[in-house]
Amino acid sequence: MGMDPTFQQLRVFLTVAEELHFGRAAERLAMTQPPVSRQVRALEKVVGVPLFDRTSRHVALTPAGEVLHAEAARTLTSWGRAVQEAAHVARGLRRALVLGCVEAVALELLPSVVNEIRRTHPQDEWELREGDTSDLLAGLHARELDCAVVRGPVVADADVLVRPLFDDPLVMALPSAHPHGGSPIEWSALAEEDFVVYRRDVRQGLLPVLLDGCARAGFTPRIRYQATATELLLGLVAAGDGVALVSSAVARSPRAGVRFVPLAGGGATSPLLFVWRRGAAVGAVKRIGDMLWRAAAERRAAPRDPAVP
């Protein structure tokens, strides 16, 4: 690749990819067909591979074209948001800061931070979105979020900065009828259990902790169900369809049909991190990050409930 693609090349490519017809794409773009074909050929030269399989009767994306289609759409969406943000700043308009967080933070850490923001900086406008780590990180890179609290591991990169907050203690959720008593449970005692997990992501979230704990005990967990939300996950546990690894924040609210049991041997934890986009509403992001850090420090210093770590 000798140079970077232009936004015009990407827009033309996306239109042809949506229409799968050069003539219809040209009509949508208010262009004639020859310039559309030239833009596509120029982009293929930049990328170094064919993006379309085309004959006189048929146009289809190549596998490389499928990949570029998804990434090009994200790139143009991100660019559009960046232009909009710059215009807002230039006109002196305030845009609401968008904070994302995983469930454990929404349950425990965030309420005190929200109260402090309202009390000390009532002029700040912001929105809150809950999600899992993968979706929140994708939102940051797509400029849909300014900052978020996510589960690690996450490594800082050209777009995102990272600040550790605290390690979230984890517990096992068991059906109420499970024969295990109230004492901490050994990982090895779970070898014959079925497991219910959150939507699988082997990089972040609770699944890496589960896989590591089971591996150290000498077995591979038998994953029976995936759940997209905690209520569904705990509902499956209550129904006797498996056991699940969950945040201690979840364990502080009683659930019918479910018992929460600490893990033996020092337990298990999941790191919670504050992540933010470089250059995103710097003052407001720094304030939220500092408030989260102080709230996390108070949480780390607080005595633990012996029943739920």
Side-chain angles (χ1 to χ4, degrees):
M1 290 187 289
M3 61 183 70
D4 292 328
T6 66
F7 285 125
Q8 177 65 3
Q9 288 169 352
L10 293 179
R11 290 189 185 98
V12 170
F13 163 71
L14 286 174
T15 305
V16 176
E18 291 165 5
E19 295 291 342
L20 294 178
H21 190 282
F22 279 77
R24 289 196 298 270
E27 290 178 9
R28 275 183 56 185
L29 292 163
M31 300 168 64
T32 59
Q33 188 167 330
V36 170
S37 298
R38 284 197 297 271
Q39 293 279 7
V40 170
R41 285 197 298 270
L43 181 60
E44 289 177 324
K45 185 176 180 180
V46 170
V47 178
V49 296
L51 300 174
F52 294 99
D53 287 324
R54 43 200 185 270
T55 66
S56 59
R57 295 186 177 184
H58 177 76
V59 176
L61 284 166
T62 64
E66 293 278 4
V67 172
L68 187 66
H69 179 257
E71 294 301 328
R74 279 192 283 267
T75 297
L76 289 180
T77 299
S78 180
W79 172 250
R81 290 196 182 98
V83 170
Q84 188 178 52
E85 285 183 29
H88 273 66
V89 171
R91 295 198 301 269
L93 300 176
R94 182 183 292 121
R95 182 185 65 79
L97 181 143
V98 186
L99 166 67
C101 68
V102 294
E103 182 182 46
V105 175
L107 289 172
E108 288 201 333
L109 201 63
L110 199 61
S112 63
V113 173
V114 169
N115 287 335
E116 186 176 357
I117 291 173
R118 288 174 175 165
R119 179 176 56 82
T120 60
H121 294 86
Q123 76 283 1
D124 282 359
E125 298 180 17
W126 57 282
E127 299 175 9
L128 178 65
R129 298 182 189 174
E130 186 182 329
D132 64 25
T133 293
S134 297
D135 290 340
L136 294 174
L137 291 175
L140 279 173
H141 284 97
R143 306 182 72 88
E144 295 169 356
L145 301 177
D146 298 296
C147 53
V149 182
V150 300
R151 292 192 183 277
V154 176
V155 178
D157 58 27
D159 299 320
V160 173
L161 296 167
V162 179
R163 183 181 188 182
L165 291 176
F166 66 94
D167 288 336
D168 180 27
L170 308 176
V171 298
M172 293 304 304
L174 308 178
S176 293
H178 195 281
H180 183 79
S183 60
I185 192 167
E186 299 282 350
W187 282 102
S188 58
L190 300 166
E192 300 303 317
E193 299 286 352
D194 289 327
F195 284 83
V196 184
V197 301
Y198 292 102
R199 188 179 64 182
R200 296 193 192 196
D201 187 332
V202 296
R203 297 162 298 174
Q204 292 107 7
L206 300 187
L207 184 58
V209 182
L210 174 66
L211 295 175
D212 180 67
C214 295
R216 285 188 283 105
F219 70 97
T220 300
R222 189 170 59 242
I223 296 174
R224 185 173 183 183
Y225 292 112
Q226 296 180 56
T228 55
T230 297
E231 291 303 321
L232 175 58
L233 180 141
L234 293 179
L236 291 168
V237 172
D241 286 325
V243 302
L245 187 67
V246 299
S247 167
S248 58
V250 172
R252 295 183 208 287
S253 298
R255 310 285 172 130
V258 179
R259 287 193 297 117
F260 299 102
V261 179
L263 284 153
T269 61
S270 172
L272 289 174
L273 315 170
F274 181 63
V275 295
W276 69 100
R277 286 193 294 108
R278 294 180 187 270
V282 176
V285 168
K286 184 178 186 304
R287 282 195 292 275
I288 286 181
D290 289 344
M291 291 176 188
L292 285 165
W293 174 254
R294 289 194 295 272
E298 292 173 3
R299 188 189 188 286
R300 292 193 300 270
R304 289 186 177 181
D305 180 345
V308 179

